[in-house]
């Protein structure tokens, strides 16, 4: 089968997330970048798209022109990635889904839970994919954790400890830095800053690994630098539908923490511990047993982990490969649809619009709890 045609909105030259998407989408040879509206500056965006090999007539000034130019083509795009600022996600996702395109949207899916519910409804009504880029769920050993929990290796899950804490917004001198400022502006970021931006990845990972959904949240938000309107540090407690409790800390002012995404899972029969900064090792401790190091690339791991591993054991994999697993999952589903066949069941672990909806409900519940001094809020 020929390559899937891929379009990108946002993620232009100098973007933090754009290169990760382009590397990831190209890793397995499934996609060709065929169209793009890459920058808020029309000429800069069109020029950069053509530098990346996009034909001049498919290098667009903005997403509206891209939608108009692509919707009636015989060689329609198979997937559209949305990598624009948060406040634009709903409008763009809605427009492309309604026009019959499959979408991969950067997180957060929307600015409100109501908007996310609408996107879920449109995705279901149109039969189009709306995936959300909780890309860390693509790491092989994160999928190994999910498989071990589902297999009952840990028994009943009692407790999870999740973190996503860094220190890159700790300098008060960055108050006017546009890359930092927008994250603490409610008009652009919504009701939450660091939880919606960073902590939500830890939240999604905890739900993904446990195979459980959140039912209640209690949160404490703090703004510790300058006069920020939104939180730069948060402590959140989450009660899950099957009884697990998650303690989640997220921060943008933890000086010395470079990335800080970690997850520990504690069950009746054992515990697991994983860190994004050391993604190729997973610590597994059976009850009353010794801690073992599970290595990515070991053929004895779960089918999910083996499928997600690309490089031989002992060689480092990283973020672009984790993102690539999301693109690989979507390619399997899209190609199976074209062929009229069933996709590989292992490809269905990609984060879906429903994950984005749960995340938005969690963000709103956490913000409400923080305003109520930590009261438990039902999702």
């Amino acid at each position: 089968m020929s390559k899937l045609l891929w379009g990108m909105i946002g993620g232009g030259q100098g973007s933090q997330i754009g290169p990760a998407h382009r590397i990831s989408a190209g890793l397995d040879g499934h996609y060709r970048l065929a169209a793009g509206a890459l920058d808020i500056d029309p000429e800069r965006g069109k020029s950069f798209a053509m530098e990346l090999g996009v034909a001049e007539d498919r290098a667009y000034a903005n997403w509206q022109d891209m939608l108009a130019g692509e919707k009636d083509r015989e060689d329609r795009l198979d997937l559209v990635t949305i990598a624009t600022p948060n406040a634009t996600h709903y409008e763009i996702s809605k427009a492309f889904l309604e026009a019959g395109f499959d979408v991969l949207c950067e997180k957060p899916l929307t600015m409100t839970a109501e908007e996310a519910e609408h996107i879920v409804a449109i995705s279901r009504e149109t039969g189009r994919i709306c995936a959300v880029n909780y890309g860390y769920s693509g790491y092989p050993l994160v999928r190994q954790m999910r498989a071990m929990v589902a297999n009952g290796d840990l028994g009943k899950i009692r407790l999870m400890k999740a973190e996503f804490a860094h220190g890159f917004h700790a300098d008060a001198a960055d108050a006017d830095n546009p890359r930092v400022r927008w994250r603490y502006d409610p008009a652009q970021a919504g009701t939450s800053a660091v939880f919606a931006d960073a902590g939500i990845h830890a939240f999604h990972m905890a739900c993904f690994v446990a195979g459980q959904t959140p039912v209640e949240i209690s949160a404490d938000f703090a703004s510790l630098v300058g006069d920020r309107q939104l939180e730069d540090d948060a402590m959140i407690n989450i009660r899950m539908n099957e009884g697990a409790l998650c303690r989640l800390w997220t921060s943008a002012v933890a000086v010395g923490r470079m990335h800080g995404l970690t997850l520990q899972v504690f069950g009746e029969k054992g515990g697991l511990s994983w860190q994004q900064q050391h993604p190729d090792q997973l610590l597994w401790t059976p009850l009353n047993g010794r801690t073992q190091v599970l290595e990515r690339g070991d053929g004895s791991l779960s089918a999910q982990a083996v499928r997600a591993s690309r490089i031989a054991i002992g060689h480092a994999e990283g973020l672009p490969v984790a993102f690539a697993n999301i693109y690989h999952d979507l390619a399997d589903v899209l190609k199976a649809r074209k062929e009229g066949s069933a996709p590989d069941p292992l490809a269905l672990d990609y984060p879906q619009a429903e994950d984005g909806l749960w995340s938005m409900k969690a963000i709103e519940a956490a913000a409400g709890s923080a305003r109520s001094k930590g009261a438990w809020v039902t999702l």
Side-chain angles (χ1 to χ4, degrees):
M1 180 179 288
S2 59
K3 289 188 177 184
L4 297 166
L5 299 183
W6 175 51
M8 190 171 192
I9 302 170
Q13 197 164 24
S15 162
Q16 180 181 8
I17 202 66
H21 278 282
R22 287 188 287 275
I23 292 168
S24 303
L27 189 64
D28 296 298
H30 291 308
Y31 301 89
R32 175 171 69 83
L33 182 60
L38 303 181
D39 201 295
I40 194 170
D41 181 293
E43 292 308 314
R44 188 169 60 198
K46 291 167 68 175
S47 175
F48 186 52
M50 287 186 285
E51 284 182 32
L52 295 174
V54 174
E56 185 174 1
D57 67 329
R58 302 183 86 170
Y60 296 98
N62 52 56
W63 70 264
Q64 293 93 337
D65 287 353
M66 181 167 156
L67 179 60
E70 293 293 321
K71 66 180 181 179
D72 295 323
R73 292 183 68 112
E74 290 187 8
D75 56 342
R76 280 171 61 97
L77 295 171
D78 294 294
L79 181 68
V80 176
T81 292
I82 300 169
T84 55
N86 298 1
T88 65
H89 289 180
Y90 171 71
E91 181 182 19
I92 301 174
S93 296
K94 176 178 180 292
F96 276 84
L97 287 168
E98 288 178 337
F101 291 94
D102 294 292
V103 167
L104 170 60
C105 185
E106 261 300 329
K107 61 82 198 166
L109 176 60
T110 57
M111 293 277 278
T112 69
E114 183 179 4
E115 290 177 345
E117 287 176 343
H118 195 198
I119 292 296
V120 168
I122 295 169
S123 177
R124 291 174 178 171
E125 289 166 6
T126 61
R128 296 293 99 184
I129 290 170
C130 183
V132 185
N133 192 41
Y134 291 110
Y136 301 107
S137 65
Y139 274 109
L141 292 181
V142 173
R143 296 189 172 192
Q144 173 69 17
M145 296 172 81
R146 177 177 168 90
M148 291 178 71
V149 169
N151 192 50
D153 295 348
L154 282 75
K156 183 178 175 63
I157 303 304
R158 294 168 170 163
L159 176 67
M160 291 178 285
K161 181 173 179 288
E163 295 183 3
F164 196 152
H166 65 81
F168 293 110
H169 300 165
D171 189 347
D174 277 337
D176 292 323
N177 181 339
R179 288 182 176 270
V180 175
R181 185 179 61 232
W182 76 267
R183 300 175 188 275
Y184 300 94
D185 177 2
Q188 298 183 73
T191 59
S192 166
V194 72
F195 180 44
D197 182 40
I200 204 65
H201 281 295
F203 167 84
H204 174 264
M205 187 178 291
C207 297
F208 177 78
V209 167
Q212 300 186 30
T213 54
V215 293
E216 284 188 297
I217 283 181
S218 169
D220 179 30
F221 283 7
S223 298
L224 302 175
V225 176
D227 57 356
R228 288 172 175 163
Q229 297 180 66
L230 298 174
E231 87 288 352
D232 50 26
D233 187 274
M235 184 66 75
I236 298 157
N237 294 306
I238 306 152
R239 291 173 176 159
M240 301 286 189
N241 67 320
E242 294 181 20
L245 179 64
C246 180
R247 313 287 193 188
L248 191 157
W249 172 50
T250 185
S251 183
V253 298
V255 177
R257 292 289 292 266
M258 297 305 294
H259 188 275
L261 177 59
T262 69
L263 180 65
Q264 294 174 278
V265 185
F266 306 104
E268 294 173 323
K269 299 194 293 186
L272 293 166
S273 179
W274 180 85
Q275 300 180 50
Q276 199 269 166
Q277 287 177 251
H278 305 283
D280 290 348
Q281 288 82 39
L282 172 63
L283 301 184
W284 160 235
T285 309
L287 182 66
N288 299 321
R290 294 182 177 180
T291 297
Q292 305 167 31
V293 181
L294 306 185
E295 294 279 354
R296 185 211 47 79
D298 187 330
S300 67
L301 297 179
S302 67
Q304 293 91 323
V306 170
R307 180 180 185 272
S309 296
R310 313 306 188 86
I311 300 172
I313 191 170
H315 297 275
E317 286 186 0
L319 181 70
V321 178
F323 278 26
N325 283 327
I326 306 297
Y327 277 100
H328 181 48
D329 291 341
L330 292 171
D332 275 5
V333 175
L334 293 169
K335 288 181 177 180
R337 181 200 291 162
K338 285 189 169 187
E339 295 168 350
S341 60
D344 182 341
L346 298 181
L348 300 178
D349 270 346
Y350 67 86
Q352 302 182 19
E354 288 80 359
D355 297 283
L357 172 57
W358 278 114
S359 297
M360 284 313 308
K361 287 184 175 181
I363 290 167
E364 291 185 354
S369 173
R371 290 193 296 270
S372 301
K373 301 185 182 301
W376 285 95
V377 174
T378 302
L379 274 72

